[in-house]
Amino acid sequence: MNTLSDLNASQVTCMLPVKDLERARRFYEKSLGLAAGAAKPDGKFVYRCGGTEIALFPKPEGTKAQHTALSFRVGDIAASIELLKARGVVFADYDFPGLKTEGHVCVLGAEKAAWFEDTEGNILCLHQDLA
């Protein structure tokens, strides 16, 4: 087990609140294509993505966050968007000062980004590094 001084080497887990765990699991497994994870005794369901874990945990009121909770780095954002759209994922479009999407994509400094929500209202993102 890592100590506090070993945080650089620690496994990171992103905690996402969900109202309906079964509905959320269908989204993460069918729509996003994540391999089925593992149920934990405390009710969480955990997926492994790269070196990170995503933990869905039941919360009757769901999320209250209005920011990006999780972002997946991809090599080709346009192809990734098309793949997820074919699986039923709906991408957001924005037109705010300093944040405008074209074809669901916004260029932000050194990356492109596109946002969507899971079935539980968590804001997720795809991003592609430009450099």
Side-chain angles (χ1 to χ4, degrees):
M1 182 64 74
N2 293 339
T3 63
L4 185 58
S5 64
D6 297 325
L7 288 180
N8 284 316
S10 295
Q11 172 73 47
V12 174
T13 303
C14 179
M15 307 291 289
L16 296 177
V18 299
K19 290 181 188 177
D20 184 328
L21 184 59
E22 291 307 312
R23 178 177 63 199
R25 284 191 57 199
R26 282 191 302 275
F27 177 82
Y28 282 85
E29 293 169 26
K30 303 293 185 196
S31 299
L32 298 188
L34 300 186
K40 300 293 183 179
D42 62 358
K44 288 192 300 276
F45 196 85
V46 179
Y47 296 93
R48 286 198 173 273
C49 285
T52 303
E53 291 182 336
I54 300 170
L56 307 179
F57 69 95
K59 185 175 179 188
E61 63 274 15
T63 187
K64 292 183 175 32
Q66 296 181 352
H67 63 275
T68 304
L70 179 66
S71 187
F72 296 92
R73 184 173 58 201
V74 297
D76 183 338
I77 197 165
S80 298
I81 289 169
E82 291 309 311
L83 175 67
L84 293 182
K85 283 173 64 177
R87 294 178 181 168
V89 174
V90 177
F91 284 82
D93 284 306
Y94 301 104
D95 189 1
F96 302 122
L99 182 72
K100 180 174 176 59
T101 55
E102 292 184 22
H104 310 301
V105 177
C106 179
V107 176
L108 298 169
E111 69 181 18
K112 294 179 182 179
W115 293 269
F116 58 98
E117 289 186 13
D118 70 7
T119 54
E120 310 308 300
N122 292 296
I123 300 171
L124 309 179
C125 180
L126 300 179
H127 71 274
Q128 176 185 343
D129 294 336
L130 294 175

